[in-house]
Amino acid sequence: MRILIDLQACQTASRRRGIGRYSASLVDAIVQIAKPQEISLLLNAAYPESIESIADRFDARIPRARIHAFTSPSPVAEIDPVNGWRARAAEIVRIAKVCTLRPDAVLLTSLFEGYVDEATTSLPDESDCVNAAILYDLIPLVRPGVLDTSTARAWYERKLASLRRCDLLLAISNHARAEAIAAADIPAERITVISTAADACFRYVERAPDEVRAVCERHAIDRPFVLYAGGFDERKNVRALIAGYAALPPAVRQAHRLVLAGALDDDAQRSLRRDAGRHGLANDDVIFTGHIDDAELAALYGTCVVFAFPSLHEGFGLPVLEAMACGAAVVASNATSVPEVMDRADALFDARNPRAITERLHSVVDDAALRASLQRYGPLRAATFSWRASAQRALEALIDARQRKRSYPSSVTNRRTSGNAVADERPTLAYVSPLPPERTGVASYSAQLLVPLREHYQIELVSEQKGVDLDDALTELPVRTVEWFDAHANAYDRVLYHVGNSPFHHGALELLHRHPGTVVLHDVHLGAALNWIEQLGLVMGAFS
């Protein structure tokens, strides 16, 4: 079985976040156990430096000949609506590249890319191969306020539509699976939970006093500390953690710093410092580390008195697992997926209630026996998660999905089979062009091209002409109206437009916005056609 893995998540800004780390670790594990399956990678040529680093990472395990890159128009970041047409074109280019590689299954490690970066993720409307994606969470769907612009919401809805078309979703937690079933109405049988794991660098080790001292000095940590690591968007609920820490008994609080690890911009840091000040905290009570590498983060996990994770919504909650693996005493939110990671009720709190956070922090800081119990528990619990197990579940799910798809032919195949007749394997083609007797060179061109083109496609003509005058060899071709085509455009394998610089083509220009396809451009400049469209009032400003 040929499996093509789209690894753009390791090229975009996601590579510095949990999604990129998850993608790289899962693919590492898949490659190690994949035989006899054949693994290939699909990358984006818009990120040339990352292509080399990814190829080096998988050197000797994936031959360079099986590491592919697609090139598409740019820029495509959809935060700028001007890029919308390029983004749609890039999606078509990417799908075409996938088709040339003829995989049995395609796995998208991150579907929700391309809003603020140059990634292109897309799924064909119909495909004979299995289309699969990693399901991390559906936070923007269930927490609508996360997306604060209509442009962002429209982009997310398009990605969500692709997610619903997937033959298989590989969920990182039971909560993510349940969320997709309930909120996105995705059939349960199409979602497999594969879980996740902490990377090997996150493990319990005895740390020498000099190492602990060096880590603390680098971040001006001069006393025992409460640690948080992760993002800083509102759902991470860091403000509630600051409030909970500030409400500790004065002697306890004064004996401990609050260390917030992770990258955030200056404005966000100033906002959190203002919050801390309102709770009576001094500037040096709260320490921001900024971005730190994994080795340093592991050292902080292993050094802290308690690791606190107050998030309101997680697809999994990887920092919880990482901290436990390093031997930290972990307390965390009782929301969404976090309890299935912790699996220990006496370490959970109601994250919506800062007082509950205070009580849980105080219980661990003040009770040495409870703290020691949590420190022993963490590595044992973390050991129940492994990348090898996640990779094995992913491969088995992909193989099962492939077998199911073979058993139930796609609607494309069904459409080409009528009764007991032999299936017509030619792709279907909607052909949009002026046709004879219209007095335009494009119409004559089409009349000649259609004859040999019939050998390769099942052709249906799209035209608003009152009559069509074609040779006898072409009279059997169905002629569809624009209204009919609007209702059935998605049923075609290909759409082909012929466009020139005359009034005959205004209908094609309108249709292109609704149903993208391949264009045969008969003139390099369309000024006359656009001027005519504007002068007749069909599209205001089309030319000017």
Side-chain angles (χ1 to χ4, degrees):
M1 179 174 170
R2 297 186 304 277
I3 301 173
L4 178 66
I5 301 178
D6 185 310
L7 207 53
Q8 290 179 82
C10 293
Q11 297 184 277
T12 67
S14 291
R15 71 185 186 277
R16 301 188 188 94
R17 297 166 49 226
I19 286 175
R21 289 167 59 180
Y22 182 97
S23 300
S25 297
L26 179 66
V27 175
D28 267 334
I30 287 175
V31 170
Q32 290 174 22
I33 65 169
K35 289 184 178 180
Q37 321 308 328
E38 178 185 291
I39 306 297
S40 301
L41 301 182
L42 181 66
L43 302 172
N44 192 326
Y47 298 91
E49 301 87 357
S50 63
I51 293 175
E52 284 306 309
S53 64
I54 291 170
D56 289 343
R57 176 173 185 147
F58 292 98
D59 192 35
R61 291 179 293 159
I62 299 180
R64 293 291 177 114
R66 295 212 304 266
I67 298 178
H68 311 280
F70 68 94
T71 303
S72 61
S74 63
V76 298
E78 295 195 58
I79 190 171
D80 184 352
V82 171
N83 295 335
W85 72 270
R86 271 186 297 267
R88 302 290 81 73
E91 289 172 0
I92 294 169
V93 169
R94 180 188 168 279
I95 290 171
K97 177 67 174 180
V98 170
C99 289
T100 66
L101 300 175
R102 302 181 65 82
D104 297 308
V106 178
L107 173 60
L108 267 163
T109 55
S110 182
L111 175 59
F112 291 87
E113 302 278 343
Y115 183 62
V116 295
D117 51 52
E118 293 303 299
T120 295
T121 61
S122 52
L123 267 73
D125 289 331
E126 294 174 331
S127 173
D128 290 331
C129 80
V130 170
N131 284 288
I134 306 295
L135 174 63
Y136 297 97
D137 61 66
L138 293 175
I139 290 169
L141 177 63
V142 299
R143 301 175 71 88
V146 171
L147 301 177
D148 56 0
T149 68
S150 59
T151 301
R153 288 191 290 273
W155 169 83
Y156 187 80
E157 285 296 329
R158 283 196 298 275
K159 296 300 180 185
L160 196 58
S162 290
L163 190 79
R164 290 186 171 111
R165 292 203 307 274
C166 285
D167 302 296
L168 173 67
L169 297 178
L170 302 176
I172 64 171
S173 67
N174 290 306
H175 172 80
R177 179 178 186 271
E179 194 170 71
I181 295 168
D185 198 28
I186 295 174
E189 62 271 16
R190 282 167 40 200
I191 311 174
T192 297
V193 178
I194 63 171
S195 194
T196 182
D199 285 347
C201 66
F202 298 108
R203 65 189 188 282
Y204 174 74
V205 294
E206 289 284 354
R207 299 188 183 276
D210 287 348
E211 180 188 0
V212 173
R213 185 163 48 254
V215 170
C216 291
E217 286 177 354
R218 276 196 295 274
H219 299 289
I221 304 171
D222 59 355
R223 64 192 66 172
F225 61 98
V226 175
L227 176 66
Y228 164 80
F232 289 89
D233 50 282
E234 288 303 312
R235 71 180 169 88
K236 295 295 187 178
N237 204 31
V238 176
R239 296 180 194 278
L241 175 59
I242 291 172
Y245 163 77
L248 285 167
V252 174
R253 184 184 58 73
Q254 289 166 12
H256 297 82
R257 299 292 191 202
L258 174 61
V259 176
L260 305 177
L264 77 166
D265 59 41
D266 291 342
D267 287 342
Q269 185 177 139
R270 280 192 292 269
S271 176
L272 290 174
R273 285 204 181 280
R274 285 194 296 270
D275 246 33
R278 283 193 287 269
H279 290 293
L281 297 175
N283 210 42
D284 59 356
D285 285 333
V286 182
I287 295 170
F288 294 89
T289 70
H291 174 72
I292 56 176
D293 62 27
D294 287 350
E296 189 119 302
L297 179 56
L300 291 177
Y301 282 144
T303 306
C304 68
V305 174
V306 57
F307 176 79
F309 195 70
S311 180
L312 297 171
H313 200 135
E314 292 292 319
F316 182 82
L318 190 56
V320 172
L321 190 62
E322 291 173 347
M324 287 196 298
C326 292
V330 177
V331 295
S333 160
N334 62 3
T336 61
S337 62
V338 179
E340 66 182 275
V341 182
M342 280 293 308
D343 196 33
R344 182 162 168 165
D346 65 345
L348 301 175
F349 53 76
D350 179 358
R352 295 165 299 181
N353 182 358
R355 183 173 178 178
I357 299 175
T358 302
E359 291 173 352
R360 191 61 76 200
L361 287 175
H362 190 205
S363 66
V364 176
V365 170
D366 196 50
D367 187 339
L370 174 60
R371 187 166 64 252
S373 171
L374 289 169
Q375 289 169 337
R376 289 191 301 271
Y377 172 77
L380 297 174
R381 174 62 180 163
T384 65
F385 298 83
S386 82
W387 284 118
R388 186 179 183 86
S390 293
Q392 189 66 49
R393 295 184 196 113
L395 280 174
E396 289 172 357
L398 286 165
I399 293 168
D400 288 347
R402 178 61 177 164
Q403 290 173 344
R404 288 197 305 272
K405 194 143 190 172
R406 281 176 172 168
S407 301
Y408 299 97
S410 71
S411 56
V412 175
T413 304
N414 290 338
R415 188 176 65 237
R416 296 175 191 161
T417 307
S418 176
N420 295 321
V422 176
D424 187 341
E425 293 300 327
R426 293 175 300 165
T428 56
L429 172 70
Y431 192 98
V432 186
S433 172
L435 298 164
E438 294 287 11
R439 300 181 64 184
T440 165
V442 177
S444 302
Y445 178 101
S446 286
Q448 296 182 58
L449 178 64
L450 282 166
V451 175
L453 201 60
R454 286 177 64 243
E455 298 175 18
H456 305 282
Y457 291 95
Q458 301 176 71
I459 299 173
E460 296 188 356
L461 308 173
V462 179
S463 174
E464 289 289 73
Q465 295 174 207
K466 293 181 179 178
V468 173
D469 183 12
L470 294 171
D471 292 344
D472 291 344
L474 301 173
T475 54
E476 67 185 49
L477 298 181
V479 180
R480 306 298 189 187
T481 66
V482 168
E483 289 79 10
W484 194 95
F485 177 65
D486 268 327
H488 298 85
N490 289 336
Y492 293 96
D493 296 310
R494 310 280 188 274
V495 180
L496 182 65
Y497 292 89
H498 287 265
V499 176
N501 190 26
S502 74
F504 293 106
H505 304 284
H506 78 275
L509 294 175
E510 293 175 14
L511 277 176
L512 267 166
H513 285 284
R514 301 195 295 274
H515 310 295
T518 299
V519 177
V520 177
L521 189 62
H522 289 258
D523 292 284
V524 73
H525 180 60
L526 301 181
L530 295 172
N531 185 51
W532 184 86
I533 289 170
E534 181 175 319
Q535 293 301 317
L536 289 187
L538 298 175
V539 180
M540 299 304 295
F543 177 74
S544 57

